[in-house]
Tab-separated table of all heavy atoms in Angstrom:
chain	number	residue	atom	x	y	z
U	13	MET	N	85.613	123.522	112.494
U	13	MET	CA	86.757	124.096	111.772
U	13	MET	C	87.916	123.096	111.780
U	13	MET	O	88.033	122.268	112.650
U	13	MET	CB	87.217	125.385	112.438
U	13	MET	CG	86.293	126.551	112.203
U	13	MET	SD	86.253	127.052	110.482
U	13	MET	CE	87.933	127.668	110.248
U	14	ALA	N	88.762	123.228	110.793
U	14	ALA	CA	89.965	122.400	110.737
U	14	ALA	C	91.113	123.242	110.218
U	14	ALA	O	90.925	124.147	109.412
U	14	ALA	CB	89.756	121.202	109.825
U	15	GLU	N	92.276	122.904	110.705
U	15	GLU	CA	93.474	123.561	110.195
U	15	GLU	C	94.130	122.618	109.196
U	15	GLU	O	94.263	121.423	109.461
U	15	GLU	CB	94.431	123.861	111.351
U	15	GLU	CG	95.552	124.773	110.948
U	15	GLU	CD	96.438	125.136	112.140
U	15	GLU	OE1	96.143	124.693	113.262
U	15	GLU	OE2	97.413	125.849	111.930
U	16	ILE	N	94.519	123.149	108.062
U	16	ILE	CA	95.126	122.339	107.013
U	16	ILE	C	96.604	122.659	106.984
U	16	ILE	O	96.990	123.809	106.741
U	16	ILE	CB	94.487	122.641	105.649
U	16	ILE	CG1	92.970	122.474	105.738
U	16	ILE	CG2	95.065	121.732	104.575
U	16	ILE	CD1	92.218	123.110	104.588
U	17	ILE	N	97.403	121.661	107.247
U	17	ILE	CA	98.838	121.888	107.408
U	17	ILE	C	99.598	121.112	106.342
U	17	ILE	O	99.360	119.924	106.143
U	17	ILE	CB	99.298	121.433	108.810
U	17	ILE	CG1	98.587	122.277	109.872
U	17	ILE	CG2	100.813	121.542	108.948
U	17	ILE	CD1	98.775	121.771	111.274
U	18	ILE	N	100.501	121.789	105.657
U	18	ILE	CA	101.381	121.138	104.690
U	18	ILE	C	102.811	121.274	105.172
U	18	ILE	O	103.271	122.385	105.453
U	18	ILE	CB	101.236	121.758	103.293
U	18	ILE	CG1	99.809	121.573	102.786
U	18	ILE	CG2	102.219	121.117	102.308
U	18	ILE	CD1	99.482	122.385	101.571
U	19	ASP	N	103.474	120.142	105.272
U	19	ASP	CA	104.888	120.153	105.636
U	19	ASP	C	105.696	120.334	104.352
U	19	ASP	O	105.838	119.398	103.550
U	19	ASP	CB	105.250	118.839	106.323
U	19	ASP	CG	106.682	118.842	106.853
U	19	ASP	OD1	107.516	119.590	106.309
U	19	ASP	OD2	106.953	118.089	107.800
U	20	GLU	N	106.208	121.537	104.142
U	20	GLU	CA	106.906	121.841	102.894
U	20	GLU	C	108.154	120.981	102.707
U	20	GLU	O	108.576	120.736	101.581
U	20	GLU	CB	107.327	123.320	102.870
U	20	GLU	CG	106.176	124.248	102.603
U	20	GLU	CD	106.661	125.653	102.284
U	20	GLU	OE1	107.874	125.818	102.077
U	20	GLU	OE2	105.815	126.549	102.247
U	21	LYS	N	108.726	120.572	103.801
U	21	LYS	CA	109.941	119.751	103.688
U	21	LYS	C	109.598	118.370	103.132
U	21	LYS	O	110.393	117.754	102.436
U	21	LYS	CB	110.613	119.612	105.054
U	21	LYS	CG	111.196	120.902	105.586
U	21	LYS	CD	112.158	120.606	106.727
U	21	LYS	CE	112.695	121.878	107.359
U	21	LYS	NZ	111.733	122.438	108.324
U	22	LYS	N	108.425	117.877	103.460
U	22	LYS	CA	108.044	116.541	102.995
U	22	LYS	C	107.381	116.580	101.620
U	22	LYS	O	107.468	115.625	100.862
U	22	LYS	CB	107.078	115.897	103.996
U	22	LYS	CG	107.721	115.494	105.317
U	22	LYS	CD	106.687	114.796	106.197
U	22	LYS	CE	107.287	114.307	107.500
U	22	LYS	NZ	106.247	113.698	108.374
U	23	CYS	N	106.674	117.639	101.315
U	23	CYS	CA	105.907	117.711	100.062
U	23	CYS	C	106.849	117.684	98.860
U	23	CYS	O	107.785	118.464	98.777
U	23	CYS	CB	105.074	118.981	100.036
U	23	CYS	SG	104.173	119.197	98.489
U	24	ASN	N	106.566	116.767	97.926
U	24	ASN	CA	107.393	116.676	96.716
U	24	ASN	C	106.660	117.192	95.475
U	24	ASN	O	107.118	116.990	94.353
U	24	ASN	CB	107.872	115.235	96.503
U	24	ASN	CG	106.727	114.279	96.221
U	24	ASN	OD1	105.575	114.704	96.098
U	24	ASN	ND2	107.022	113.003	96.125
U	25	GLY	N	105.520	117.821	95.695
U	25	GLY	CA	104.806	118.425	94.572
U	25	GLY	C	104.154	117.440	93.636
U	25	GLY	O	103.929	117.742	92.465
U	26	CYS	N	103.821	116.265	94.144
U	26	CYS	CA	103.264	115.229	93.260
U	26	CYS	C	101.880	115.596	92.732
U	26	CYS	O	101.453	115.096	91.704
U	26	CYS	CB	103.208	113.896	93.995
U	26	CYS	SG	101.934	113.817	95.280
U	27	GLY	N	101.172	116.443	93.469
U	27	GLY	CA	99.863	116.900	93.008
U	27	GLY	C	98.704	115.975	93.349
U	27	GLY	O	97.564	116.256	92.968
U	28	ALA	N	98.981	114.905	94.058
U	28	ALA	CA	97.908	113.951	94.365
U	28	ALA	C	96.800	114.595	95.193
U	28	ALA	O	95.610	114.351	94.955
U	28	ALA	CB	98.484	112.740	95.101
U	29	CYS	N	97.173	115.429	96.129
U	29	CYS	CA	96.155	116.082	96.967
U	29	CYS	C	95.331	117.059	96.132
U	29	CYS	O	94.114	117.175	96.315
U	29	CYS	CB	96.812	116.791	98.146
U	29	CYS	SG	98.033	118.039	97.668
U	30	VAL	N	95.980	117.740	95.206
U	30	VAL	CA	95.274	118.691	94.342
U	30	VAL	C	94.224	117.953	93.522
U	30	VAL	O	93.076	118.388	93.391
U	30	VAL	CB	96.270	119.411	93.400
U	30	VAL	CG1	95.547	120.401	92.506
U	30	VAL	CG2	97.347	120.119	94.213
U	31	ASP	N	94.620	116.814	92.970
U	31	ASP	CA	93.705	116.040	92.133
U	31	ASP	C	92.596	115.395	92.956
U	31	ASP	O	91.464	115.262	92.484
U	31	ASP	CB	94.479	114.936	91.395
U	31	ASP	CG	95.428	115.513	90.365
U	31	ASP	OD1	95.221	116.667	89.941
U	31	ASP	OD2	96.377	114.809	89.986
U	32	ALA	N	92.918	114.969	94.163
U	32	ALA	CA	91.958	114.177	94.939
U	32	ALA	C	90.977	115.029	95.739
U	32	ALA	O	89.879	114.568	96.048
U	32	ALA	CB	92.726	113.264	95.892
U	33	CYS	N	91.351	116.239	96.052
U	33	CYS	CA	90.502	117.049	96.935
U	33	CYS	C	89.209	117.456	96.223
U	33	CYS	O	89.256	118.125	95.187
U	33	CYS	CB	91.251	118.291	97.381
U	33	CYS	SG	90.204	119.387	98.358
U	34	PRO	N	88.063	117.089	96.762
U	34	PRO	CA	86.803	117.451	96.127
U	34	PRO	C	86.448	118.925	96.295
U	34	PRO	O	85.524	119.422	95.637
U	34	PRO	CB	85.785	116.554	96.827
U	34	PRO	CG	86.391	116.247	98.147
U	34	PRO	CD	87.878	116.240	97.947
U	35	GLY	N	87.175	119.616	97.157
U	35	GLY	CA	86.836	121.012	97.412
U	35	GLY	C	87.760	122.019	96.762
U	35	GLY	O	87.632	123.208	96.982
U	36	ASP	N	88.734	121.564	95.941
U	36	ASP	CA	89.724	122.460	95.334
U	36	ASP	C	90.419	123.322	96.385
U	36	ASP	O	90.613	124.525	96.215
U	36	ASP	CB	89.076	123.359	94.275
U	36	ASP	CG	88.650	122.562	93.050
U	36	ASP	OD1	89.254	121.503	92.798
U	36	ASP	OD2	87.711	122.991	92.359
U	37	VAL	N	90.770	122.680	97.477
U	37	VAL	CA	91.426	123.392	98.575
U	37	VAL	C	92.890	123.710	98.240
U	37	VAL	O	93.410	124.744	98.640
U	37	VAL	CB	91.341	122.546	99.861
U	37	VAL	CG1	92.237	123.102	100.960
U	37	VAL	CG2	89.895	122.457	100.333
U	38	TYR	N	93.517	122.826	97.451
U	38	TYR	CA	94.960	122.958	97.183
U	38	TYR	C	95.244	123.417	95.761
U	38	TYR	O	94.485	123.157	94.839
U	38	TYR	CB	95.648	121.594	97.351
U	38	TYR	CG	95.580	120.995	98.714
U	38	TYR	CD1	94.756	119.901	98.962
U	38	TYR	CD2	96.351	121.484	99.753
U	38	TYR	CE1	94.697	119.313	100.220
U	38	TYR	CE2	96.307	120.912	101.013
U	38	TYR	CZ	95.480	119.824	101.234
U	38	TYR	OH	95.430	119.254	102.474
U	39	GLU	N	96.392	124.065	95.617
U	39	GLU	CA	96.975	124.313	94.303
U	39	GLU	C	98.461	123.994	94.397
U	39	GLU	O	99.032	124.031	95.487
U	39	GLU	CB	96.856	125.797	93.910
U	39	GLU	CG	95.616	126.142	93.148
U	39	GLU	CD	95.607	127.629	92.772
U	39	GLU	OE1	96.681	128.252	92.669
U	39	GLU	OE2	94.492	128.141	92.620
U	40	LEU	N	99.060	123.705	93.262
U	40	LEU	CA	100.515	123.554	93.229
U	40	LEU	C	101.143	124.883	92.857
U	40	LEU	O	100.763	125.506	91.866
U	40	LEU	CB	100.934	122.508	92.197
U	40	LEU	CG	100.834	121.040	92.587
U	40	LEU	CD1	101.392	120.184	91.465
U	40	LEU	CD2	101.537	120.741	93.896
U	41	ARG	N	102.105	125.318	93.663
U	41	ARG	CA	102.864	126.526	93.352
U	41	ARG	C	104.331	126.240	93.611
U	41	ARG	O	104.696	125.858	94.718
U	41	ARG	CB	102.408	127.705	94.225
U	41	ARG	CG	101.022	128.199	93.833
U	41	ARG	CD	100.636	129.450	94.559
U	41	ARG	NE	99.232	129.752	94.296
U	41	ARG	CZ	98.475	130.552	95.040
U	41	ARG	NH1	99.012	131.142	96.098
U	41	ARG	NH2	97.218	130.766	94.738
U	42	GLU	N	105.125	126.446	92.582
U	42	GLU	CA	106.560	126.202	92.697
U	42	GLU	C	106.829	124.815	93.257
U	42	GLU	O	107.650	124.614	94.148
U	42	GLU	CB	107.228	127.294	93.536
U	42	GLU	CG	107.089	128.660	92.886
U	42	GLU	CD	107.719	129.775	93.704
U	42	GLU	OE1	108.222	129.495	94.800
U	42	GLU	OE2	107.690	130.913	93.223
U	43	ASN	N	106.057	123.854	92.736
U	43	ASN	CA	106.266	122.446	93.059
U	43	ASN	C	105.985	122.087	94.518
U	43	ASN	O	106.543	121.121	95.048
U	43	ASN	CB	107.691	122.015	92.691
U	43	ASN	CG	107.696	120.662	92.017
U	43	ASN	OD1	106.718	120.302	91.352
U	43	ASN	ND2	108.758	119.908	92.190
U	44	LYS	N	105.125	122.877	95.138
U	44	LYS	CA	104.655	122.540	96.481
U	44	LYS	C	103.148	122.749	96.520
U	44	LYS	O	102.614	123.651	95.860
U	44	LYS	CB	105.291	123.465	97.544
U	44	LYS	CG	106.792	123.390	97.632
U	44	LYS	CD	107.238	122.145	98.345
U	44	LYS	CE	108.767	122.065	98.397
U	44	LYS	NZ	109.239	120.780	98.944
U	45	ALA	N	102.481	121.930	97.311
U	45	ALA	CA	101.059	122.155	97.518
U	45	ALA	C	100.872	123.337	98.463
U	45	ALA	O	101.596	123.469	99.457
U	45	ALA	CB	100.421	120.907	98.124
U	46	VAL	N	99.924	124.200	98.123
U	46	VAL	CA	99.574	125.301	99.010
U	46	VAL	C	98.058	125.303	99.195
U	46	VAL	O	97.307	124.879	98.320
U	46	VAL	CB	100.041	126.676	98.476
U	46	VAL	CG1	101.555	126.754	98.452
U	46	VAL	CG2	99.474	126.948	97.111
U	47	VAL	N	97.635	125.773	100.332
U	47	VAL	CA	96.212	125.850	100.641
U	47	VAL	C	95.680	127.171	100.112
U	47	VAL	O	96.126	128.242	100.529
U	47	VAL	CB	95.985	125.743	102.160
U	47	VAL	CG1	94.507	125.894	102.492
U	47	VAL	CG2	96.505	124.412	102.674
U	48	VAL	N	94.761	127.107	99.163
U	48	VAL	CA	94.232	128.335	98.569
U	48	VAL	C	92.756	128.556	98.900
U	48	VAL	O	92.226	129.634	98.699
U	48	VAL	CB	94.409	128.345	97.031
U	48	VAL	CG1	95.879	128.428	96.678
U	48	VAL	CG2	93.762	127.132	96.386
U	49	ASN	N	92.115	127.521	99.399
U	49	ASN	CA	90.674	127.609	99.577
U	49	ASN	C	90.247	126.834	100.835
U	49	ASN	O	89.475	125.875	100.745
U	49	ASN	CB	90.010	127.000	98.323
U	49	ASN	CG	88.615	127.518	98.103
U	49	ASN	OD1	88.137	128.378	98.822
U	49	ASN	ND2	87.954	126.959	97.109
U	50	PRO	N	90.770	127.240	101.981
U	50	PRO	CA	90.549	126.435	103.193
U	50	PRO	C	89.082	126.301	103.579
U	50	PRO	O	88.690	125.277	104.151
U	50	PRO	CB	91.345	127.181	104.271
U	50	PRO	CG	91.499	128.564	103.741
U	50	PRO	CD	91.574	128.441	102.253
U	51	ASP	N	88.280	127.304	103.254
U	51	ASP	CA	86.873	127.241	103.653
U	51	ASP	C	86.113	126.140	102.925
U	51	ASP	O	85.024	125.750	103.355
U	51	ASP	CB	86.193	128.585	103.378
U	51	ASP	CG	86.713	129.679	104.294
U	51	ASP	OD1	87.349	129.333	105.315
U	51	ASP	OD2	86.505	130.861	103.986
U	52	ALA	N	86.665	125.651	101.821
U	52	ALA	CA	85.984	124.594	101.060
U	52	ALA	C	86.243	123.202	101.619
U	52	ALA	O	85.647	122.236	101.165
U	52	ALA	CB	86.426	124.653	99.598
U	53	CYS	N	87.120	123.111	102.594
U	53	CYS	CA	87.439	121.791	103.154
U	53	CYS	C	86.263	121.260	103.949
U	53	CYS	O	85.711	121.948	104.801
U	53	CYS	CB	88.665	121.900	104.054
U	53	CYS	SG	89.096	120.338	104.850
U	54	HIS	N	85.881	120.019	103.632
U	54	HIS	CA	84.816	119.403	104.423
U	54	HIS	C	85.315	118.151	105.145
U	54	HIS	O	84.540	117.231	105.419
U	54	HIS	CB	83.569	119.138	103.583
U	54	HIS	CG	83.846	118.481	102.270
U	54	HIS	ND1	84.080	119.197	101.133
U	54	HIS	CD2	83.953	117.187	101.942
U	54	HIS	CE1	84.306	118.346	100.134
U	54	HIS	NE2	84.242	117.127	100.605
U	55	HIS	N	86.613	118.129	105.398
U	55	HIS	CA	87.179	117.179	106.363
U	55	HIS	C	87.013	115.722	105.943
U	55	HIS	O	86.807	114.855	106.784
U	55	HIS	CB	86.568	117.381	107.760
U	55	HIS	CG	86.500	118.802	108.199
U	55	HIS	ND1	85.911	119.198	109.378
U	55	HIS	CD2	86.965	119.934	107.625
U	55	HIS	CE1	85.988	120.514	109.487
U	55	HIS	NE2	86.615	120.973	108.445
U	56	CYS	N	87.133	115.464	104.667
U	56	CYS	CA	86.997	114.076	104.209
U	56	CYS	C	88.281	113.274	104.436
U	56	CYS	O	88.272	112.056	104.387
U	56	CYS	CB	86.616	114.053	102.734
U	56	CYS	SG	87.882	114.748	101.639
U	57	HIS	N	89.390	113.977	104.622
U	57	HIS	CA	90.703	113.369	104.882
U	57	HIS	C	91.264	112.604	103.686
U	57	HIS	O	92.221	111.838	103.826
U	57	HIS	CB	90.676	112.472	106.131
U	57	HIS	CG	90.458	113.262	107.397
U	57	HIS	ND1	91.497	113.712	108.190
U	57	HIS	CD2	89.313	113.702	107.969
U	57	HIS	CE1	90.982	114.390	109.216
U	57	HIS	NE2	89.669	114.392	109.106
U	58	THR	N	90.667	112.800	102.516
U	58	THR	CA	91.176	112.135	101.313
U	58	THR	C	92.609	112.557	101.011
U	58	THR	O	93.436	111.740	100.609
U	58	THR	CB	90.268	112.476	100.115
U	58	THR	OG1	88.942	112.088	100.443
U	58	THR	CG2	90.730	111.755	98.855
U	59	CYS	N	92.907	113.831	101.217
U	59	CYS	CA	94.255	114.319	100.907
U	59	CYS	C	95.300	113.587	101.747
U	59	CYS	O	96.367	113.222	101.247
U	59	CYS	CB	94.342	115.822	101.117
U	59	CYS	SG	93.725	116.385	102.712
U	60	GLU	N	94.982	113.346	102.996
U	60	GLU	CA	95.924	112.617	103.843
U	60	GLU	C	96.119	111.196	103.324
U	60	GLU	O	97.227	110.660	103.344
U	60	GLU	CB	95.397	112.558	105.278
U	60	GLU	CG	95.374	113.896	105.963
U	60	GLU	CD	94.782	113.804	107.353
U	60	GLU	OE1	93.788	113.067	107.546
U	60	GLU	OE2	95.303	114.463	108.238
U	61	GLU	N	95.041	110.606	102.856
U	61	GLU	CA	95.125	109.220	102.386
U	61	GLU	C	95.957	109.104	101.115
U	61	GLU	O	96.674	108.116	100.929
U	61	GLU	CB	93.714	108.663	102.154
U	61	GLU	CG	92.954	108.451	103.450
U	61	GLU	CD	91.467	108.227	103.220
U	61	GLU	OE1	91.078	107.885	102.085
U	61	GLU	OE2	90.700	108.396	104.175
U	62	VAL	N	95.861	110.086	100.221
U	62	VAL	CA	96.570	109.964	98.945
U	62	VAL	C	98.007	110.466	99.023
U	62	VAL	O	98.805	110.174	98.136
U	62	VAL	CB	95.833	110.696	97.793
U	62	VAL	CG1	94.437	110.116	97.597
U	62	VAL	CG2	95.793	112.187	98.019
U	63	CYS	N	98.350	111.214	100.050
U	63	CYS	CA	99.701	111.781	100.131
U	63	CYS	C	100.683	110.707	100.594
U	63	CYS	O	100.651	110.275	101.748
U	63	CYS	CB	99.742	112.956	101.091
U	63	CYS	SG	101.401	113.663	101.185
U	64	GLU	N	101.549	110.314	99.693
U	64	GLU	CA	102.521	109.263	100.027
U	64	GLU	C	103.679	109.796	100.845
U	64	GLU	O	104.496	109.026	101.348
U	64	GLU	CB	103.036	108.600	98.743
U	64	GLU	CG	101.919	107.845	98.014
U	64	GLU	CD	102.423	107.107	96.788
U	64	GLU	OE1	103.582	107.313	96.405
U	64	GLU	OE2	101.621	106.330	96.227
U	65	GLN	N	103.781	111.112	100.954
U	65	GLN	CA	104.881	111.714	101.720
U	65	GLN	C	104.458	112.055	103.157
U	65	GLN	O	105.259	112.598	103.913
U	65	GLN	CB	105.364	112.995	101.028
U	65	GLN	CG	105.719	112.828	99.564
U	65	GLN	CD	106.781	111.762	99.350
U	65	GLN	OE1	107.737	111.693	100.114
U	65	GLN	NE2	106.602	110.926	98.340
U	66	ASP	N	103.224	111.789	103.490
U	66	ASP	CA	102.711	112.143	104.813
U	66	ASP	C	102.898	113.644	105.070
U	66	ASP	O	103.273	114.061	106.167
U	66	ASP	CB	103.421	111.300	105.886
U	66	ASP	CG	102.725	111.371	107.235
U	66	ASP	OD1	101.479	111.491	107.247
U	66	ASP	OD2	103.415	111.302	108.268
U	67	ALA	N	102.659	114.440	104.021
U	67	ALA	CA	102.989	115.865	104.098
U	67	ALA	C	101.797	116.752	104.440
U	67	ALA	O	101.998	117.873	104.909
U	67	ALA	CB	103.596	116.326	102.774
U	68	CYS	N	100.583	116.296	104.199
U	68	CYS	CA	99.437	117.164	104.493
U	68	CYS	C	98.580	116.546	105.587
U	68	CYS	O	98.388	115.333	105.635
U	68	CYS	CB	98.613	117.439	103.233
U	68	CYS	SG	97.987	115.993	102.377
U	69	HIS	N	98.113	117.414	106.438
U	69	HIS	CA	97.341	116.953	107.593
U	69	HIS	C	96.173	117.894	107.863
U	69	HIS	O	96.314	119.110	107.775
U	69	HIS	CB	98.224	116.862	108.839
U	69	HIS	CG	99.247	115.784	108.719
U	69	HIS	ND1	98.943	114.460	108.888
U	69	HIS	CD2	100.553	115.836	108.382
U	69	HIS	CE1	100.033	113.734	108.682
U	69	HIS	NE2	101.026	114.549	108.377
U	70	ILE	N	95.063	117.275	108.183
U	70	ILE	CA	93.881	118.015	108.600
U	70	ILE	C	93.780	117.871	110.112
U	70	ILE	O	93.607	116.766	110.626
U	70	ILE	CB	92.604	117.453	107.943
U	70	ILE	CG1	92.761	117.333	106.433
U	70	ILE	CG2	91.389	118.289	108.321
U	70	ILE	CD1	93.025	118.626	105.725
U	71	VAL	N	93.932	118.974	110.797
U	71	VAL	CA	93.888	118.955	112.261
U	71	VAL	C	92.546	119.536	112.690
U	71	VAL	O	92.275	120.721	112.490
U	71	VAL	CB	95.050	119.768	112.854
U	71	VAL	CG1	94.987	119.739	114.376
U	71	VAL	CG2	96.382	119.223	112.350
U	72	GLU	N	91.724	118.674	113.210
U	72	GLU	CA	90.395	119.113	113.632
U	72	GLU	C	90.516	119.996	114.864
U	72	GLU	O	91.263	119.701	115.792
U	72	GLU	CB	89.513	117.903	113.952
U	72	GLU	CG	89.368	116.915	112.808
U	72	GLU	CD	88.546	117.454	111.639
U	72	GLU	OE1	87.892	118.505	111.797
U	72	GLU	OE2	88.567	116.813	110.566
U	73	GLU	N	89.778	121.091	114.832
U	73	GLU	CA	89.784	122.008	115.971
U	73	GLU	C	88.412	121.980	116.616
U	73	GLU	O	87.403	121.782	115.949
U	73	GLU	CB	90.109	123.430	115.507
U	73	GLU	CG	91.511	123.540	114.923
U	73	GLU	CD	91.765	124.920	114.334
U	73	GLU	OE1	90.796	125.574	113.938
U	73	GLU	OE2	92.935	125.306	114.285
U	74	GLU	N	88.407	122.219	117.891
U	74	GLU	CA	87.132	122.217	118.624
U	74	GLU	C	86.294	123.415	118.215
U	74	GLU	O	86.806	124.476	117.939
U	74	GLU	CB	87.405	122.271	120.136
U	74	GLU	CG	88.052	121.003	120.646
U	74	GLU	CD	87.136	119.798	120.525
U	74	GLU	OE1	85.921	119.948	120.812
U	74	GLU	OE2	87.609	118.729	120.127
G	117	SF4	S1	99.926	114.754	97.958
G	117	SF4	FE1	101.428	115.282	99.558
G	117	SF4	S2	103.419	115.307	98.514
G	117	SF4	FE2	101.832	115.383	96.926
G	117	SF4	S3	101.556	117.599	96.516
G	117	SF4	FE3	100.047	116.989	98.091
G	117	SF4	S4	101.044	117.441	100.085
G	117	SF4	FE4	102.636	117.408	98.491
G	118	SF4	S1	90.138	116.886	103.929
G	118	SF4	FE1	89.096	116.553	101.943
G	118	SF4	S2	88.188	118.543	101.424
G	118	SF4	FE2	89.695	118.912	103.054
G	118	SF4	S3	91.610	119.471	101.980
G	118	SF4	FE3	91.648	117.222	102.320
G	118	SF4	S4	90.778	116.276	100.466
G	118	SF4	FE4	90.225	118.468	100.474
């Protein structure tokens, strides 16, 4: 399991994570990324790589 965390203060709504995520985990709502489909995350960490604001993080849980 992983927890998907978005720092709303850092997120500028660029949509890069929405476009890059192969699992459609994110959507943009009111110019912020929100997690809508957490079960589809397969921990590729692509969203972290494309986010220039360092706003989204995948925290692996035991
Ligand atoms: S890539 Fe980062 S800044 Fe852009 S919408 Fe996603 S979380 Fe927000
Ligand atoms: S780690 Fe991969 S599958 Fe999970 S939210 Fe980020 S881009 Fe999507």
Side-chain angles (χ1 to χ4, degrees):
M13 286 294 294
E15 191 176 358
I16 306 164
I17 297 170
I18 298 168
D19 186 335
E20 285 192 11
K21 292 196 184 81
K22 289 183 177 177
C23 177
N24 65 5
C26 72
C29 58
V30 180
D31 292 339
C33 175
D36 291 334
V37 169
Y38 298 107
E39 269 181 25
L40 280 184
R41 289 187 189 161
E42 298 179 357
N43 223 29
K44 299 284 179 187
V46 294
V47 177
V48 293
N49 204 4
D51 292 344
C53 178
H54 47 269
H55 314 176
C56 64
H57 293 266
T58 303
C59 50
E60 292 177 320
E61 290 166 19
V62 300
C63 180
E64 294 184 351
Q65 307 303 318
D66 193 33
C68 57
H69 292 283
I70 309 299
V71 180
E72 303 291 348
E73 296 174 334
E74 292 295 319

